[in-house]
Amino acid sequence: IPFLLVAVGILQALYSLAALLLLSGGFIIFGVSRSQKPSLGISVNGGFQESNIFAAFIVVVTLMLLAHIIARSRWQKGLRLYAALALVILILLLTFTRAAWISFAVVALMTLFVLRPRTNIFNPRSLTVITAVVVFFILVALPIGNYTSSFTGGSVTGISERIGNLINFSEGSGAGRLEVQTRAIQKWQKSPILGNGTFAFPAEETGTAAHGSWLYSSLIQSLHDTGVVGFVFLLWIYIGGLVVGIRGYLQCKTIFWKATLAGGTLGWLALIIASQASSFMWLSFPWIFLGVMVAWAKQAPELEQKDAASYKPSNLITV
């Protein structure tokens, strides 16, 4: 299943890239969509309904690949994992989804301290790989992203401008989202225990910042819709997934499963972070992935024992 998840991610990335290239020649095979901001042109969405959902999936796949590269798992033969990582990073950029970019950047830095030898404070290999990712992003992915934006009807500096406004809440959509979230908290205070009901936020109060009654932060939406009761349950699911993943990682004895559990747990953390800017409470993929990751954590020790000859012992730990 870990291989299947990554393989599907790579195929989705190839499909969306092919769709973008064919679009320039007038051929439509879907896999792309008009981005929400005109200056960005066309974004990729693969086989998903929209780019935001696709970006969440690609973030998980990217972190899985990153973990296996850093840990030198049995997947790493030749340059194929590096090529796959470069592909999904480029596709992640072409989704134009800032929430996914931020969550990946934050969580990728954590690999410095998660996947490390027992005797080290951090993993030098992680630093090397992350540095290579940054160089690839600046020298290759960003120029391609800006060119893609320009030839699909956006600005020649569309991607660069979007990156420059990652945490800008004083104007544009950032200011609109902040205003909507503030109103949602004010409405929650009128019914703090059980909330106001699912999708009860008045659509007419969202302006252009949101679609219908969809609030962008999953935590704020849970407060507004389901009150403290629902908020506590959501936190329990978020934190419970992390605890199960970390516990499974610590119980594993081999490089392959340590890398898989590290990538899976970090992927779940990235989804949690991303959901505070683009809520996934009512979407299926994140919850399916959580179930898969928990299954990995529960079954990995048993699978290691059944197929011990296929795995190499690991001295990687987490903190």
Side-chain angles (χ1 to χ4, degrees):
I1 294 236
F3 172 78
L4 181 61
L5 175 72
V6 173
V8 169
I10 294 171
L11 290 175
Q12 285 275 359
L14 289 171
Y15 164 58
S16 61
L17 184 59
L20 191 61
L21 293 173
L22 289 173
L23 183 67
S24 64
F27 297 95
I28 299 176
I29 62 170
F30 304 101
V32 296
S33 60
R34 174 66 60 181
S35 69
Q36 297 175 8
K37 192 172 182 180
S39 64
L40 294 174
I42 300 294
S43 62
V44 297
N45 60 271
F48 287 73
Q49 183 178 3
E50 62 176 34
S51 297
N52 288 346
I53 308 172
F54 183 46
F57 174 59
I58 291 297
V59 163
V60 171
V61 173
T62 305
L63 288 168
M64 288 285 292
L65 284 168
L66 192 65
H68 278 271
I69 287 173
I70 291 171
R72 291 190 178 97
S73 82
R74 63 176 184 171
W75 278 357
Q76 188 172 345
K77 294 180 180 179
L79 298 176
R80 63 185 185 184
L81 281 194
Y82 294 99
L85 181 62
L87 171 66
V88 293
I89 288 174
L90 175 61
I91 294 301
L92 178 60
L93 181 66
L94 296 179
T95 63
F96 303 158
T97 303
R98 290 178 294 181
W101 296 347
I102 293 172
S103 65
F104 171 70
V106 171
V107 176
L109 288 176
M110 297 179 66
T111 60
L112 289 170
F113 306 99
V114 174
L115 288 162
R116 63 180 178 85
R118 295 180 183 275
T119 56
N120 289 18
I121 297 176
F122 71 95
N123 191 340
R125 180 171 171 79
S126 295
L127 182 60
T128 301
V129 173
I130 291 173
T131 301
V133 167
V134 172
V135 171
F136 170 79
F137 173 80
I138 294 173
L139 298 183
V140 180
L142 187 56
I144 291 177
N146 280 324
Y147 174 73
T148 300
S149 173
S150 66
F151 91 72
T152 58
S155 167
V156 69
T157 58
I159 292 283
S160 297
E161 291 173 5
R162 192 161 179 81
I163 292 174
N165 289 318
L166 277 178
I167 55 175
N168 183 1
F169 297 103
S170 61
E171 59 184 2
S173 63
R177 292 187 185 197
L178 182 60
E179 182 180 358
V180 169
Q181 308 293 39
T182 301
R183 291 180 185 175
I185 292 175
Q186 292 171 348
K187 288 185 174 296
W188 159 70
Q189 292 172 343
K190 298 177 181 179
S191 182
I193 305 301
L194 296 177
N196 298 282
T198 304
F199 291 126
F201 189 83
E204 63 271 13
E205 294 190 24
T206 63
T208 59
H211 300 282
S213 300
W214 191 287
L215 299 174
Y216 281 90
S217 167
S218 58
L219 290 176
I220 291 178
Q221 181 153 26
S222 68
L223 270 177
H224 175 273
D225 290 3
T226 60
V228 172
V229 174
F231 180 82
V232 169
F233 273 106
L234 184 62
L235 272 184
W236 175 63
I237 295 172
Y238 281 173
I239 297 173
L242 294 175
V243 170
V244 171
I246 292 172
R247 186 179 298 162
Y249 174 87
L250 290 172
Q251 290 175 347
C252 289
K253 306 297 183 184
T254 59
I255 290 176
F256 176 82
W257 279 108
K258 276 193 175 293
T260 297
L261 264 298
T265 306
L266 291 173
W268 176 239
L269 177 59
L271 290 177
I272 294 173
I273 295 172
S275 75
Q276 303 320 306
S278 185
S279 175
F280 60 64
M281 282 184 63
W282 308 108
L283 302 177
S284 58
F285 163 70
W287 305 117
I288 293 172
F289 173 70
L290 175 61
V292 170
M293 191 270 289
V294 169
W296 292 344
K298 296 293 185 180
Q299 296 181 12
E302 180 181 351
L303 292 173
E304 285 182 322
Q305 293 179 359
K306 287 183 178 180
D307 196 17
S310 299
Y311 304 110
K312 295 180 180 179
S314 172
N315 69 335
L316 297 173
I317 64 170
T318 190
V319 292

